[in-house]
Amino acid sequence: LVSERLPALGWRGHLAFPDEMEALDGVLSAGFGVVIIETPGNPDLAVLDIGAVAEAAHRAGALLVVDSTFASPVNQNPLALGADLVVHSATKYLGGHSDLTAGAVMGPAALLEPVAGWRKTLGQTPSPETAALLARSLRTLDVRMQRHNANAQRIAEAMANHPAVRQVHYPGLPDHPDHALARRQMRAFGGMLSLTLEGDAAGAMAMVDALELFLNAPSLGGVESLVTQPVMTSHADLDERERARRGIGETMVRLSVGLEDADDLIADLEQALARAG
Ligand SMILES: *Cc1c(COP(=O)(O)O)cnc(C)c1O
């Protein structure tokens, strides 16, 4: 969207790297109107300081939009931290059962009014069936998130001590680089985590193939646990240098932790790591 589609419409965009966040005022001095961030981020679970980015955006006269999909509204409320708009892929935790596609945007009425106009004109309106499924799913969002949070924390702690795992990317672990910030701005840390495995790409692929409970499939946030390799899926379009700058290695494996029994999930990861050698 930012590198190809918007420029084709005459809009200027800049796709910032995580290491540019420190110097955000300089980046924004080029005169951008909107800053869009995702936190926690896919797939490295990096956490950005929503309040600090909101201040920088506002200093530059820009709005801050936060994609809060990975956290869900149960774990994080960016509007309370200074964001102007929040977006969620309702396809993920809000729907929660991998059976609908929808989105949500939240904010003050004055900012939502033009969005509603565009939505009506462009037809981004869910069907009644989708809306009914989403309404039913929202009634269990809080209890589902509690289980996603607890399961992911258990798995992160188990994998942090596994000799075949070089690094666990989960903001709920005390040694995650953004743990202190995550504790300040999140209530809990969510059901998404990534592992950087020892070994090579073929070993990572063998491990993913050996999993029996984690289904190798895209999307996230549903009742069932899923596994993906970011270099083969969400980040396949990035070249190698850009992936390296974003810390996405060829042995990175992303987990969407579902609502199954945590011991069963940990046992599945352990048997897959053993079988893949
Ligand atoms: C999946 C996802 C999207 C896209 O949402 P769709 O509902 O699939 O269109 C946007 N942001 C994040 C963080 C996502 O995980």
PDB file of all heavy atoms in Angstrom, residues 114-136:
ATOM      1  N   PRO A 114     -15.882  10.623   8.099  1.00  0.00           N
ATOM      2  CA  PRO A 114     -15.416  10.428   6.711  1.00  0.00           C
ATOM      3  C   PRO A 114     -15.151   8.949   6.384  1.00  0.00           C
ATOM      4  O   PRO A 114     -15.355   8.523   5.249  1.00  0.00           O
ATOM      5  CB  PRO A 114     -14.131  11.259   6.629  1.00  0.00           C
ATOM      6  CG  PRO A 114     -13.781  11.624   8.033  1.00  0.00           C
ATOM      7  CD  PRO A 114     -15.009  11.533   8.853  1.00  0.00           C
ATOM      8  N   VAL A 115     -14.737   8.158   7.377  1.00  0.00           N
ATOM      9  CA  VAL A 115     -14.517   6.723   7.134  1.00  0.00           C
ATOM     10  C   VAL A 115     -15.837   6.065   6.751  1.00  0.00           C
ATOM     11  O   VAL A 115     -15.901   5.262   5.818  1.00  0.00           O
ATOM     12  CB  VAL A 115     -13.920   6.034   8.392  1.00  0.00           C
ATOM     13  CG1 VAL A 115     -13.760   4.534   8.157  1.00  0.00           C
ATOM     14  CG2 VAL A 115     -12.593   6.670   8.776  1.00  0.00           C
ATOM     15  N   ALA A 116     -16.903   6.437   7.479  1.00  0.00           N
ATOM     16  CA  ALA A 116     -18.217   5.859   7.191  1.00  0.00           C
ATOM     17  C   ALA A 116     -18.652   6.198   5.765  1.00  0.00           C
ATOM     18  O   ALA A 116     -19.225   5.358   5.065  1.00  0.00           O
ATOM     19  CB  ALA A 116     -19.237   6.358   8.208  1.00  0.00           C
ATOM     20  N   GLY A 117     -18.369   7.421   5.335  1.00  0.00           N
ATOM     21  CA  GLY A 117     -18.720   7.821   3.972  1.00  0.00           C
ATOM     22  C   GLY A 117     -18.007   6.971   2.936  1.00  0.00           C
ATOM     23  O   GLY A 117     -18.617   6.463   1.993  1.00  0.00           O
ATOM     24  N   TRP A 118     -16.700   6.782   3.113  1.00  0.00           N
ATOM     25  CA  TRP A 118     -15.931   5.953   2.181  1.00  0.00           C
ATOM     26  C   TRP A 118     -16.414   4.501   2.227  1.00  0.00           C
ATOM     27  O   TRP A 118     -16.505   3.830   1.210  1.00  0.00           O
ATOM     28  CB  TRP A 118     -14.440   5.992   2.531  1.00  0.00           C
ATOM     29  CG  TRP A 118     -13.754   7.210   1.993  1.00  0.00           C
ATOM     30  CD1 TRP A 118     -13.291   8.279   2.694  1.00  0.00           C
ATOM     31  CD2 TRP A 118     -13.458   7.480   0.618  1.00  0.00           C
ATOM     32  NE1 TRP A 118     -12.732   9.203   1.852  1.00  0.00           N
ATOM     33  CE2 TRP A 118     -12.823   8.739   0.567  1.00  0.00           C
ATOM     34  CE3 TRP A 118     -13.687   6.795  -0.582  1.00  0.00           C
ATOM     35  CZ2 TRP A 118     -12.398   9.327  -0.624  1.00  0.00           C
ATOM     36  CZ3 TRP A 118     -13.260   7.374  -1.770  1.00  0.00           C
ATOM     37  CH2 TRP A 118     -12.623   8.618  -1.781  1.00  0.00           C
ATOM     38  N   ARG A 119     -16.728   4.021   3.432  1.00  0.00           N
ATOM     39  CA  ARG A 119     -17.156   2.626   3.572  1.00  0.00           C
ATOM     40  C   ARG A 119     -18.441   2.394   2.776  1.00  0.00           C
ATOM     41  O   ARG A 119     -18.573   1.413   2.055  1.00  0.00           O
ATOM     42  CB  ARG A 119     -17.377   2.287   5.049  1.00  0.00           C
ATOM     43  CG  ARG A 119     -17.584   0.817   5.287  1.00  0.00           C
ATOM     44  CD  ARG A 119     -17.744   0.532   6.749  1.00  0.00           C
ATOM     45  NE  ARG A 119     -19.094   0.832   7.185  1.00  0.00           N
ATOM     46  CZ  ARG A 119     -19.751   0.139   8.118  1.00  0.00           C
ATOM     47  NH1 ARG A 119     -19.176  -0.884   8.712  1.00  0.00           N
ATOM     48  NH2 ARG A 119     -20.954   0.469   8.459  1.00  0.00           N
ATOM     49  N   LYS A 120     -19.362   3.331   2.895  1.00  0.00           N
ATOM     50  CA  LYS A 120     -20.637   3.186   2.183  1.00  0.00           C
ATOM     51  C   LYS A 120     -20.408   3.191   0.668  1.00  0.00           C
ATOM     52  O   LYS A 120     -20.944   2.370  -0.065  1.00  0.00           O
ATOM     53  CB  LYS A 120     -21.567   4.329   2.586  1.00  0.00           C
ATOM     54  CG  LYS A 120     -22.959   4.198   2.020  1.00  0.00           C
ATOM     55  CD  LYS A 120     -23.857   5.296   2.569  1.00  0.00           C
ATOM     56  CE  LYS A 120     -25.246   5.191   1.930  1.00  0.00           C
ATOM     57  NZ  LYS A 120     -26.074   6.349   2.273  1.00  0.00           N
ATOM     58  N   THR A 121     -19.546   4.110   0.217  1.00  0.00           N
ATOM     59  CA  THR A 121     -19.343   4.250  -1.220  1.00  0.00           C
ATOM     60  C   THR A 121     -18.561   3.070  -1.797  1.00  0.00           C
ATOM     61  O   THR A 121     -18.839   2.604  -2.897  1.00  0.00           O
ATOM     62  CB  THR A 121     -18.578   5.561  -1.513  1.00  0.00           C
ATOM     63  OG1 THR A 121     -19.198   6.611  -0.793  1.00  0.00           O
ATOM     64  CG2 THR A 121     -18.577   5.866  -2.990  1.00  0.00           C
ATOM     65  N   LEU A 122     -17.566   2.575  -1.038  1.00  0.00           N
ATOM     66  CA  LEU A 122     -16.711   1.502  -1.568  1.00  0.00           C
ATOM     67  C   LEU A 122     -17.258   0.112  -1.263  1.00  0.00           C
ATOM     68  O   LEU A 122     -16.744  -0.880  -1.771  1.00  0.00           O
ATOM     69  CB  LEU A 122     -15.291   1.627  -0.998  1.00  0.00           C
ATOM     70  CG  LEU A 122     -14.534   2.911  -1.377  1.00  0.00           C
ATOM     71  CD1 LEU A 122     -13.164   2.935  -0.706  1.00  0.00           C
ATOM     72  CD2 LEU A 122     -14.379   3.035  -2.888  1.00  0.00           C
ATOM     73  N   GLY A 123     -18.278   0.001  -0.411  1.00  0.00           N
ATOM     74  CA  GLY A 123     -18.899  -1.300  -0.168  1.00  0.00           C
ATOM     75  C   GLY A 123     -18.192  -2.177   0.834  1.00  0.00           C
ATOM     76  O   GLY A 123     -18.318  -3.398   0.803  1.00  0.00           O
ATOM     77  N   GLN A 124     -17.435  -1.566   1.776  1.00  0.00           N
ATOM     78  CA  GLN A 124     -16.712  -2.362   2.791  1.00  0.00           C
ATOM     79  C   GLN A 124     -17.643  -2.690   3.955  1.00  0.00           C
ATOM     80  O   GLN A 124     -17.339  -2.415   5.108  1.00  0.00           O
ATOM     81  CB  GLN A 124     -15.506  -1.587   3.325  1.00  0.00           C
ATOM     82  CG  GLN A 124     -14.631  -0.974   2.271  1.00  0.00           C
ATOM     83  CD  GLN A 124     -13.730  -1.980   1.619  1.00  0.00           C
ATOM     84  OE1 GLN A 124     -13.985  -3.169   1.684  1.00  0.00           O
ATOM     85  NE2 GLN A 124     -12.684  -1.539   0.992  1.00  0.00           N
ATOM     86  N   THR A 125     -18.784  -3.285   3.659  1.00  0.00           N
ATOM     87  CA  THR A 125     -19.787  -3.543   4.688  1.00  0.00           C
ATOM     88  C   THR A 125     -19.958  -5.048   4.842  1.00  0.00           C
ATOM     89  O   THR A 125     -20.199  -5.738   3.857  1.00  0.00           O
ATOM     90  CB  THR A 125     -21.132  -2.907   4.273  1.00  0.00           C
ATOM     91  OG1 THR A 125     -20.894  -1.548   3.911  1.00  0.00           O
ATOM     92  CG2 THR A 125     -22.142  -2.981   5.402  1.00  0.00           C
ATOM     93  N   PRO A 126     -19.823  -5.580   6.063  1.00  0.00           N
ATOM     94  CA  PRO A 126     -19.966  -7.037   6.209  1.00  0.00           C
ATOM     95  C   PRO A 126     -21.399  -7.494   5.932  1.00  0.00           C
ATOM     96  O   PRO A 126     -22.348  -6.737   6.146  1.00  0.00           O
ATOM     97  CB  PRO A 126     -19.568  -7.310   7.663  1.00  0.00           C
ATOM     98  CG  PRO A 126     -19.564  -5.996   8.350  1.00  0.00           C
ATOM     99  CD  PRO A 126     -19.493  -4.921   7.327  1.00  0.00           C
ATOM    100  N   SER A 127     -21.534  -8.721   5.498  1.00  0.00           N
ATOM    101  CA  SER A 127     -22.865  -9.282   5.266  1.00  0.00           C
ATOM    102  C   SER A 127     -23.566  -9.473   6.608  1.00  0.00           C
ATOM    103  O   SER A 127     -22.903  -9.543   7.656  1.00  0.00           O
ATOM    104  CB  SER A 127     -22.738 -10.637   4.572  1.00  0.00           C
ATOM    105  OG  SER A 127     -22.208 -11.579   5.492  1.00  0.00           O
ATOM    106  N   PRO A 128     -24.918  -9.591   6.630  1.00  0.00           N
ATOM    107  CA  PRO A 128     -25.627  -9.838   7.898  1.00  0.00           C
ATOM    108  C   PRO A 128     -25.138 -11.113   8.582  1.00  0.00           C
ATOM    109  O   PRO A 128     -25.019 -11.146   9.814  1.00  0.00           O
ATOM    110  CB  PRO A 128     -27.090  -9.981   7.460  1.00  0.00           C
ATOM    111  CG  PRO A 128     -27.174  -9.259   6.156  1.00  0.00           C
ATOM    112  CD  PRO A 128     -25.835  -9.416   5.495  1.00  0.00           C
ATOM    113  N   GLU A 129     -24.818 -12.154   7.821  1.00  0.00           N
ATOM    114  CA  GLU A 129     -24.341 -13.409   8.421  1.00  0.00           C
ATOM    115  C   GLU A 129     -23.012 -13.177   9.135  1.00  0.00           C
ATOM    116  O   GLU A 129     -22.800 -13.667  10.248  1.00  0.00           O
ATOM    117  CB  GLU A 129     -24.170 -14.490   7.343  1.00  0.00           C
ATOM    118  CG  GLU A 129     -25.462 -14.958   6.698  1.00  0.00           C
ATOM    119  CD  GLU A 129     -25.954 -14.020   5.598  1.00  0.00           C
ATOM    120  OE1 GLU A 129     -25.284 -12.999   5.301  1.00  0.00           O
ATOM    121  OE2 GLU A 129     -27.035 -14.309   5.036  1.00  0.00           O
ATOM    122  N   THR A 130     -22.115 -12.448   8.481  1.00  0.00           N
ATOM    123  CA  THR A 130     -20.817 -12.153   9.091  1.00  0.00           C
ATOM    124  C   THR A 130     -21.004 -11.315  10.352  1.00  0.00           C
ATOM    125  O   THR A 130     -20.385 -11.581  11.394  1.00  0.00           O
ATOM    126  CB  THR A 130     -19.919 -11.407   8.084  1.00  0.00           C
ATOM    127  OG1 THR A 130     -19.687 -12.256   6.967  1.00  0.00           O
ATOM    128  CG2 THR A 130     -18.594 -11.016   8.709  1.00  0.00           C
ATOM    129  N   ALA A 131     -21.874 -10.319  10.278  1.00  0.00           N
ATOM    130  CA  ALA A 131     -22.101  -9.448  11.439  1.00  0.00           C
ATOM    131  C   ALA A 131     -22.673 -10.246  12.604  1.00  0.00           C
ATOM    132  O   ALA A 131     -22.287 -10.028  13.768  1.00  0.00           O
ATOM    133  CB  ALA A 131     -23.037  -8.307  11.054  1.00  0.00           C
ATOM    134  N   ALA A 132     -23.567 -11.206  12.310  1.00  0.00           N
ATOM    135  CA  ALA A 132     -24.171 -12.012  13.379  1.00  0.00           C
ATOM    136  C   ALA A 132     -23.126 -12.937  14.015  1.00  0.00           C
ATOM    137  O   ALA A 132     -23.073 -13.083  15.239  1.00  0.00           O
ATOM    138  CB  ALA A 132     -25.345 -12.827  12.831  1.00  0.00           C
ATOM    139  N   LEU A 133     -22.256 -13.539  13.193  1.00  0.00           N
ATOM    140  CA  LEU A 133     -21.186 -14.387  13.734  1.00  0.00           C
ATOM    141  C   LEU A 133     -20.256 -13.569  14.625  1.00  0.00           C
ATOM    142  O   LEU A 133     -19.849 -14.010  15.703  1.00  0.00           O
ATOM    143  CB  LEU A 133     -20.364 -15.004  12.598  1.00  0.00           C
ATOM    144  CG  LEU A 133     -20.882 -16.265  11.923  1.00  0.00           C
ATOM    145  CD1 LEU A 133     -19.964 -16.627  10.761  1.00  0.00           C
ATOM    146  CD2 LEU A 133     -20.960 -17.417  12.916  1.00  0.00           C
ATOM    147  N   LEU A 134     -19.921 -12.358  14.154  1.00  0.00           N
ATOM    148  CA  LEU A 134     -19.007 -11.499  14.909  1.00  0.00           C
ATOM    149  C   LEU A 134     -19.645 -11.082  16.232  1.00  0.00           C
ATOM    150  O   LEU A 134     -18.976 -11.099  17.278  1.00  0.00           O
ATOM    151  CB  LEU A 134     -18.636 -10.286  14.052  1.00  0.00           C
ATOM    152  CG  LEU A 134     -17.627  -9.295  14.622  1.00  0.00           C
ATOM    153  CD1 LEU A 134     -16.352  -9.985  15.062  1.00  0.00           C
ATOM    154  CD2 LEU A 134     -17.305  -8.226  13.567  1.00  0.00           C
ATOM    155  N   ALA A 135     -20.922 -10.751  16.216  1.00  0.00           N
ATOM    156  CA  ALA A 135     -21.610 -10.346  17.451  1.00  0.00           C
ATOM    157  C   ALA A 135     -21.603 -11.492  18.454  1.00  0.00           C
ATOM    158  O   ALA A 135     -21.357 -11.299  19.654  1.00  0.00           O
ATOM    159  CB  ALA A 135     -23.051  -9.916  17.137  1.00  0.00           C
ATOM    160  N   ARG A 136     -21.839 -12.711  17.981  1.00  0.00           N
ATOM    161  CA  ARG A 136     -21.818 -13.870  18.886  1.00  0.00           C
ATOM    162  C   ARG A 136     -20.398 -14.080  19.441  1.00  0.00           C
ATOM    163  O   ARG A 136     -20.215 -14.347  20.623  1.00  0.00           O
ATOM    164  CB  ARG A 136     -22.290 -15.114  18.137  1.00  0.00           C
ATOM    165  CG  ARG A 136     -22.157 -16.382  18.944  1.00  0.00           C
ATOM    166  CD  ARG A 136     -22.931 -17.526  18.372  1.00  0.00           C
ATOM    167  NE  ARG A 136     -24.357 -17.355  18.626  1.00  0.00           N
ATOM    168  CZ  ARG A 136     -25.239 -18.361  18.629  1.00  0.00           C
ATOM    169  NH1 ARG A 136     -24.840 -19.580  18.367  1.00  0.00           N
ATOM    170  NH2 ARG A 136     -26.501 -18.141  18.860  1.00  0.00           N
TER     171      ARG A 136
END
